[in-house]
């Protein structure tokens, strides 16, 4: 079945360490997104990518980095520069019809990062 | 400033007790308004897209409506399996990759 696979589901990090969250999709979608979800807040956009080898900063990109070397993969690195990284991270892709971004987001199951 | 506000934050209903969730929005040109359902520890699941005022969409016990300033998600005769957090998001005309999410309404339906 087509979908988005995020790994790991749970991750613990010590302060000062970089960690990378994996996001793989087999939906053949061009646009992919990383969101952060904190209790009581709406999802906030970290980065997005419309095509391979291109990505754009979202609203809260500081302390994060991404790459898009393959259409299927959009990994997110949480660097030591991110001051408050403990959160639930969601990867998504956007369904296109006739080449137009419909806005319907298909989400992965999420990765919960905890900083010890 | 573009933003989305959902109310109430939490809602407890008895099974069969119908109600509505509200999503108020301000955006510089609305392309679409989206409703998602999110179960605990999971990613959101797409429910509806609404594009213009007056539009309605239905799916089982859920009906979404849209005006120029807000959207409602009506839940008719809910069942315990409808318990979840419901998220609203708007997509801006000026950037199809910009979505503004509300903080959600946590619905709990008691049997």
């Amino acid at each position: 079945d087509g979908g988005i696979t995020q790994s790991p589901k749970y991750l613990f990090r010590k302060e000062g360490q970089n960690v990378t969250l994996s996001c793989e999709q087999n939906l053949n979608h061009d646009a992919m997104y990383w969101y952060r979800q904190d209790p009581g807040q709406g999802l906030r956009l970290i980065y997005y990518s419309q095509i391979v080898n291109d990505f754009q900063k979202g609203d809260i990109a500081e302390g994060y980095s991404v790459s898009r070397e393959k259409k299927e993969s959009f990994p997110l690195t949480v660097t030591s520069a991110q001051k408050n990284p403990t959160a639930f991270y969601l990867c998504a892709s956007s369904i296109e019809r006739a080449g137009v971004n419909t806005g319907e987001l298909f989400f992965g199951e999420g990765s919960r990062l905890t900083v010890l | 400033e573009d933003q989305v506000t959902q109310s109430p934050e939490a809602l407890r209903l008895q099974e069969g007790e119908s109600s509505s969730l509200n999503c108020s929005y301000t955006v510089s040109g609305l392309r679409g308004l989206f409703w998602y359902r999110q179960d605990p520890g999971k990613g959101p699941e797409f429910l509806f897209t609404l594009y213009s005022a007056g539009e309605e969409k239905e799916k089982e016990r859920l009906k979404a409506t849209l005006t120029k300033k807000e959207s409602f998600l009506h839940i008719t005769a809910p069942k315990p399996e409808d318990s979840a957090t419901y998220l609203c998001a708007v997509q801006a005309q000026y950037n199809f990759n910009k979505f503004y999410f509300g903080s959600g309404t946590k619905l709990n339906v008691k049997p």
Side-chain angles (χ1 to χ4, degrees):
Chain A
D1 282 0
I4 294 181
T5 302
Q6 288 188 240
S7 63
K9 191 167 178 64
Y10 299 97
L11 184 60
F12 298 89
R13 186 193 96 171
K14 293 182 180 179
E15 284 194 26
Q17 287 183 334
N18 293 354
V19 292
T20 297
L21 308 181
S22 171
C23 176
E24 302 281 331
Q25 57 110 346
N26 59 3
L27 300 165
N28 200 34
H29 291 167
D30 285 313
M32 295 187 73
Y33 309 81
W34 274 105
Y35 285 92
R36 170 180 171 142
Q37 188 173 35
D38 294 283
Q41 295 191 42
L43 274 65
R44 292 182 290 167
L45 181 64
I46 305 172
Y47 270 97
Y48 67 94
S49 169
Q50 291 183 275
I51 56 173
V52 174
N53 293 323
D54 184 61
F55 46 83
Q56 305 295 325
K57 291 182 179 180
D59 300 315
I60 56 166
E62 185 174 351
Y64 299 97
S65 65
V66 294
S67 63
R68 188 86 185 276
E69 297 176 0
K70 299 186 299 181
K71 187 175 185 178
E72 303 78 19
S73 180
F74 191 40
L76 174 74
T77 296
V78 184
T79 76
S80 57
Q82 169 50 235
K83 298 304 179 189
N84 184 22
T86 294
F88 190 51
Y89 291 88
L90 289 160
C91 179
S93 65
S94 182
I95 297 170
E96 294 182 3
R97 295 196 181 93
V100 177
N101 184 332
T102 65
E104 297 171 21
L105 297 177
F106 193 98
F107 286 89
E109 294 281 272
S111 293
R112 187 167 297 279
L113 172 63
T114 303
V115 174
L116 302 174
Chain B
E1 180 183 342
D2 298 336
Q3 63 179 11
V4 174
T5 303
Q6 291 188 247
S7 62
E9 288 185 12
L11 181 62
R12 296 181 67 175
L13 299 174
Q14 287 297 128
E15 184 172 1
E17 180 186 1
S18 301
S19 188
S20 297
L21 314 182
N22 177 265
C23 171
S24 298
Y25 65 90
T26 55
V27 65
S28 303
L30 176 72
R31 179 171 185 259
L33 184 142
F34 306 85
W35 283 98
Y36 292 86
R37 170 192 169 125
Q38 186 175 24
D39 292 306
K42 305 280 189 179
E45 176 185 348
F46 170 77
L47 291 173
F48 303 109
T49 307
L50 301 165
Y51 291 107
S52 56
E55 189 174 359
E56 298 183 353
K57 293 275 180 74
E58 285 190 67
K59 180 179 180 179
E60 296 180 356
R61 295 175 292 282
L62 301 177
K63 183 169 82 171
T65 62
L66 180 65
T67 72
K68 289 188 177 180
K69 292 186 177 182
E70 58 190 350
S71 176
F72 292 94
L73 185 65
H74 307 278
I75 304 177
T76 302
K79 298 182 177 182
E81 53 261 42
D82 294 321
S83 297
T85 295
Y86 291 86
L87 304 176
C88 171
V90 297
Q91 183 185 31
Q93 277 283 5
Y94 58 84
N95 184 340
F96 287 4
N97 291 294
K98 289 285 283 184
F99 298 90
Y100 297 92
F101 279 84
S103 55
T105 293
K106 186 174 183 178
L107 175 65
N108 186 7
V109 182
K110 294 287 193 180

